[in-house]
């Protein structure tokens, strides 16, 4: 079709030359002769032009546009080049959404168990953090303010790994024996140490020895903290036996349990790989308290997930 359009343009040019550029506007247009070599009449040329590809039409339009105005006027309308499409391009289609965007199942933590470690951080806490990292498990640390001040980098490591950090008072007294002012000072000093180390105030507290009364719960609640006790006591501090600690933790834990341990005892740290494997074998998932109980009520006492 390009040949047809080019032939048409050449023909028109020759007509122009023959007619002379001084032909007055409105002069009679000479009848188009047969196109040599093509054998097409002007009617057929018109059809070919309409049928031609966009490229052929573009070539013809360029040739036509180059003609002097009087000549262009002399070209019959039906064989003038089609106007280029001036309609705006349709807007770019929005980026197609992937048809099968994976939708993660909602994490209900239905099978979660909270492993909690009290009284640190101490030197061996780093070994425990190594184990939790290696086994991709999260836990909770109820830390004592004096130990926080001695090991602030360990707290930052807990935070970076996504473990929950809770307040276990500043120096581990029996809170019910203290005045309200004394209870408040223990909580405030420990929270201050944690905040200084990590930049984040704790929202959980655990009273030493699990001893609390209404004043302790109220003091925690007034500071935006919930009280975490436990429903599984491994008595790891009494026996200091890794196998026994593992057996008690795995046998007694059920979905939603809170397990009490102490990371100041090396035998407890030794038990942790066995505990994580054992819980997983039961279909349970070790998790942090923040994962297990996502929106705890301040001042409320939890022994496990309600
Ligand atoms: Zn303790």
């Amino acid at each position: 079709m390009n040949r047809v359009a080019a032939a048409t343009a050449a023909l028109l040019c020759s007509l122009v030359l023959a007619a002379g550029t001084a032909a007055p506007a409105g002069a009679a247009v000479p009848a188009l002769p047969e196109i040599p070599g093509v054998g097409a009449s002007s009617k057929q040329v018109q059809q070919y032009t309409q049928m031609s590809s966009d490229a052929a039409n573009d070539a013809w339009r360029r040739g036509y546009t180059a003609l002097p105005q009087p000549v262009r006027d002399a070209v019959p309308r039906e064989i003038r080049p089609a106007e280029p499409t001036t309609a705006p391009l349709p807007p770019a289609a929005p980026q197609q959404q992937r048809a099968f965007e994976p939708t993660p199942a909602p994490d209900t933590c239905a099978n979660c168990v909270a492993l909690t470690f009290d009284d640190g951080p101490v030197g061996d806490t780093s070994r425990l953090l190594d184990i939790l990292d290696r086994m991709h498990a999260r836990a909770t640390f109820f830390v004592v303010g004096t130990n926080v001040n001695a090991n602030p980098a360990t707290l930052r490591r807990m935070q970076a790994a996504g473990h929950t950090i809770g307040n276990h008072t500043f120096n581990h007294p029996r809170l019910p024996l203290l005045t309200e002012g004394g209870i408040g000072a223990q909580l405030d000093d420990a929270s201050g140490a944690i905040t200084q180390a990590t930049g984040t105030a704790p929202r959980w507290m655990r009273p030493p020895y699990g001893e609390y009364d209404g004043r302790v719960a109220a003091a925690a609640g007034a500071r935006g903290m919930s009280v975490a006790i436990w429903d599984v006591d491994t008595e790891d501090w009494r026996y200091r036996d890794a196998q026994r600690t593992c057996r008690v933790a795995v046998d007694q834990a059920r979905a939603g349990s809170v397990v009490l341990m102490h990371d100041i005892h090396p035998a407890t740290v030794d038990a942790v790989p066995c505990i994580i494997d054992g819980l997983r074998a039961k279909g349970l998932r070790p998790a942090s308290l923040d994962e297990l109980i996502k929106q705890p009520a301040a001042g409320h006492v939890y022994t496990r997930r309600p």
Side-chain angles (χ1 to χ4, degrees), residues 219-240:
R223 290 160 176 80
M225 292 188 287
S226 306
V227 180
I229 307 299
W230 55 82
D231 67 334
V232 176
D233 184 356
T234 60
E235 294 187 291
D236 60 330
W237 57 273
R238 185 191 301 276
Y239 296 100
R240 305 192 190 185

Side-chain angles (χ1 to χ4, degrees), residues 113-204:
V113 170
L115 302 179
T116 66
F117 299 93
D118 292 8
D119 299 351
V122 294
D124 218 25
T125 303
S126 294
R127 186 163 67 94
L128 174 53
L129 289 169
D130 291 342
I131 293 168
L132 294 170
D133 279 353
R134 192 175 72 237
M135 302 188 75
H136 306 290
R138 285 184 178 146
T140 299
F141 294 88
F142 283 101
V143 295
V144 174
T146 50
N147 287 339
V148 171
N149 287 339
N151 303 285
T154 306
L155 244 70
R156 286 191 284 277
R157 189 178 163 195
M158 291 172 183
Q159 181 186 45
H163 303 302
T164 296
I165 298 171
N167 180 323
H168 197 43
T169 75
F170 189 72
N171 58 12
H172 212 268
R174 298 176 65 182
L175 290 178
L177 303 184
L178 303 185
T179 64
E180 284 183 29
I183 294 167
Q186 283 287 331
L187 298 182
D188 288 339
D189 290 351
S191 286
I194 292 167
T195 303
Q196 189 173 2
T198 66
T200 304
R203 63 172 185 168
W204 288 99

